[in-house]
Amino acid sequence: MFAYFDRDNVALKGLAKFFKECSLEEREHAEKLMEYQNKRGGKVKLQSILMPYSEFDHVEKGDALYAMELELSLEKLTNEKLLNLHTVTERNHDVQFRGRRVEAIKKISEYEAHLRRVGKGHGVWHFDQMLLHDGAVA
């Protein structure tokens, strides 16, 4: 999503920045999970994943809202998988692995709500500028 919004023909630098930060945070979480698995005597086995979307044009929703909806669905899916992991760790009396997914889901849900309100066009640009300069949307 970062690469899409950073393109010269899209040029929404605030959204690019937001999605890049999300990507870096998820990578950090993945590395922590691998370290945790190694500490517990496990074996990290990486497998192929599907190629992600590279285009986010949506006739009705526009690219910003559509991408934010996808990001929200990914956050919710990740949260569900981590809750399953927490169940396993608690069952085995190993509570060192914890996450803060709820805050991320709330923030992205709020961004999605803002984008629904502003529609396509200038409102998206204004939202983008707030992300770029303030780092958050009120």
Side-chain angles (χ1 to χ4, degrees), residues 9-121:
N9 65 329
V10 179
L12 292 170
K13 298 294 185 183
L15 284 161
K17 175 184 166 191
F18 171 75
F19 286 120
K20 185 175 185 177
E21 289 170 356
C22 288
S23 176
L24 293 172
E25 183 179 341
E26 292 308 321
R27 181 184 174 105
E28 187 178 299
H29 292 160
E31 289 172 358
K32 285 181 182 178
L33 180 57
M34 288 187 275
E35 290 170 3
Y36 171 79
Q37 194 165 352
N38 284 336
K39 283 180 185 177
R40 295 296 181 250
K43 181 179 178 182
V44 175
K45 183 178 178 184
L46 302 176
Q47 299 178 356
S48 297
I49 59 172
L50 295 174
M51 188 171 94
Y53 293 125
S54 61
E55 298 296 318
F56 298 95
D57 294 334
H58 194 282
V59 176
E60 296 166 11
K61 298 175 182 179
D63 52 4
L65 175 58
Y66 182 55
M68 200 61 70
E69 286 177 343
L70 291 172
E71 178 66 20
L72 180 59
S73 67
L74 288 170
E75 286 288 342
K76 288 180 177 180
L77 178 63
T78 302
N79 186 56
E80 179 183 324
K81 300 297 182 186
L82 286 173
L83 288 174
N84 291 339
L85 177 61
H86 288 190
T87 300
V88 171
T89 60
E90 287 175 7
R91 192 175 331 135
N92 291 291
H93 307 290
D94 185 357
V95 294
Q96 290 185 0
F97 187 78
R98 293 284 186 236
R100 296 184 327 195
R101 308 298 314 175
V102 175
E103 291 136 11
I105 290 171
K106 182 178 184 317
K107 178 174 75 171
I108 294 167
S109 294
E110 289 171 354
Y111 286 179
E112 182 183 325
H114 287 298
L115 287 166
R116 284 188 191 287
R117 278 196 226 63
V118 301
K120 298 187 284 185

